Amino acid sequence: MSRLLILLFLLFLSIGLFQCGGEPEPDNSGNNTNNGSNTGGGTLGKGQPGVVGIAGIDAWDKLASSEKDRIKNWNALFLHQSVGQDLEEGCKANGFPFDYYGPNDKTDGGLRGGIFVDVGGIANGNPSEKIRVFRENATRNKDLLQIAIFKFGYADVMDDNFEKVKTEYKAFVDALRAQSPTLRFVHVTPPLVYSTTSFEGNAAKMKVGQWMKDTFKNTDVIFDLQELESNNGACQQNNVWRICTENRNTASDPSDVNGIDSSDGQGHIGKKAGQRISKALLMSIYNAGK
């Protein structure tokens, strides 16, 4: 009988020690915490702020498959218009499709992409409303969203509004950052068109792109779409960058979703060019959460 009592005593003692001492040791490596990241998606690392341009293509190609696949588990929202569709198609061709995001959808399940005309009924040429729509959707999903990717259209930034765009965009980013301190941003420099006339606004787009890099490069990731479209300024006229012919959706490389540009005031990306350029977008997302 005494032996049975001893065995019972040891059993209760071991259970008590397990319950009291079972708290896991903290991970101080920086690789296994979410750093306060929003819930719902995969774990984010500390991230690597900076500008991702042409070099991002090769950087993405050199990543191990296991590293690339990490971004599939991060809750990212990419809102855009038609050039964004070209980029989405490129990402899909590289094996990283964005699930469709529409009105009242949730930013869960990894990469989500949508066009402003679907999500908020906002067409190109109305940057203020695009900012409003993105902010509303990010706010509604603040407990889920981990990476915000906002892209202006090629008709949004012009000579007569680029200062206003800068002010409104900065206020938008500041508001989301205050609301969700762990939210990561991938800023996208406004896409270029082929024409370099002042009426088409490439010079204004360049000013906003440079402002994005100067303002956010130390805290966030900037996807320098302008560098990729223009081959880092190789395609320009009178010091104004333009999208290179080999990157446009021409007859030799039409876009799956936007066909062939009908005027020099457009700047859609060809299918093959989109697959190449989108690697830098994927690298930007990776850097935001690595």
Side-chain angles (χ1 to χ4, degrees):
M1 188 68 175
S2 60
R3 180 178 297 178
L4 179 59
L5 290 173
I6 292 172
L7 289 174
L8 289 172
F9 173 78
L10 291 174
L11 176 63
F12 285 120
L13 180 63
S14 64
I15 292 174
L17 287 173
F18 176 80
Q19 291 177 335
C20 294
E23 186 71 23
E25 289 294 319
D27 182 356
N28 296 317
S29 67
N31 297 320
N32 195 35
T33 69
N34 66 4
N35 294 313
S37 298
N38 298 337
T39 60
T43 299
L44 300 185
K46 294 180 178 179
Q48 181 178 313
V51 180
V52 178
I54 292 174
I57 296 173
D58 187 55
W60 177 257
D61 284 338
K62 289 180 178 178
L63 278 182
S65 296
S66 58
E67 284 299 299
K68 292 178 179 178
D69 286 343
R70 290 177 63 195
I71 75 171
K72 294 179 178 179
N73 298 315
W74 298 340
N75 288 343
L77 177 61
F78 179 31
L79 292 188
H80 51 79
Q81 210 65 281
S82 53
V83 176
Q85 290 178 297
D86 296 330
L87 292 170
E88 275 204 43
E89 288 298 307
C91 291
K92 181 179 178 181
N94 285 307
F96 291 82
F98 284 73
D99 288 338
Y100 175 76
Y101 181 90
N104 301 314
D105 278 351
K106 289 291 187 180
T107 56
D108 56 0
L111 304 175
R112 305 296 299 270
I115 57 177
F116 283 108
V117 72
D118 282 358
V119 177
I122 309 302
N124 271 337
N126 199 339
S128 298
E129 283 298 283
K130 288 183 178 181
I131 289 171
R132 177 188 62 79
V133 167
F134 197 109
R135 180 175 176 178
E136 288 177 356
N137 281 267
T139 298
R140 185 166 52 81
N141 287 281
K142 64 182 180 179
D143 294 329
L144 293 170
L145 184 60
Q146 295 175 302
I147 301 175
I149 313 166
F150 178 104
K151 192 190 78 59
F152 290 108
Y154 63 70
D156 290 334
V157 181
M158 299 293 178
D159 281 349
D160 62 353
N161 74 342
F162 74 91
E163 289 292 352
K164 179 183 178 185
V165 167
K166 286 161 52 177
T167 299
E168 292 182 349
Y169 186 80
K170 180 64 163 58
F172 150 75
V173 172
D174 288 347
L176 289 188
R177 208 187 301 276
Q179 170 184 282
S180 304
T182 60
L183 181 63
R184 311 294 172 84
F185 291 89
V186 174
H187 309 281
V188 183
T189 57
L192 303 170
V193 298
Y194 187 72
S195 172
T196 58
T197 62
S198 59
F199 176 77
E200 301 295 355
N202 272 0
K205 296 171 182 42
M206 290 176 62
K207 291 175 183 177
V208 172
Q210 187 60 53
W211 170 80
M212 283 182 172
K213 289 181 279 189
D214 293 341
T215 304
F216 301 113
K217 65 183 178 182
N218 292 324
T219 54
D220 307 319
V221 177
I222 298 91
F223 170 48
D224 196 352
L225 179 57
Q226 293 176 2
E227 180 180 305
L228 288 141
E229 287 184 326
S230 69
N231 295 342
N232 197 23
C235 300
Q236 61 171 275
Q237 187 176 38
N238 299 323
N239 296 318
V240 178
W241 290 8
R242 69 192 338 167
I243 184 171
C244 293
T245 301
E246 61 264 34
N247 293 327
R248 295 183 73 191
N249 59 344
T250 58
S252 62
D253 186 20
S255 164
D256 276 346
V257 289
N258 293 304
I260 299 171
D261 278 353
S262 58
S263 76
D264 290 346
Q266 294 176 294
H268 295 107
I269 302 171
K271 180 177 180 179
K272 290 182 289 186
Q275 184 172 1
R276 184 184 72 254
I277 289 172
S278 67
K279 292 179 180 180
L281 172 58
L282 295 170
M283 190 66 198
S284 299
I285 298 170
Y286 175 78
N287 280 357
K290 65 184 290 187

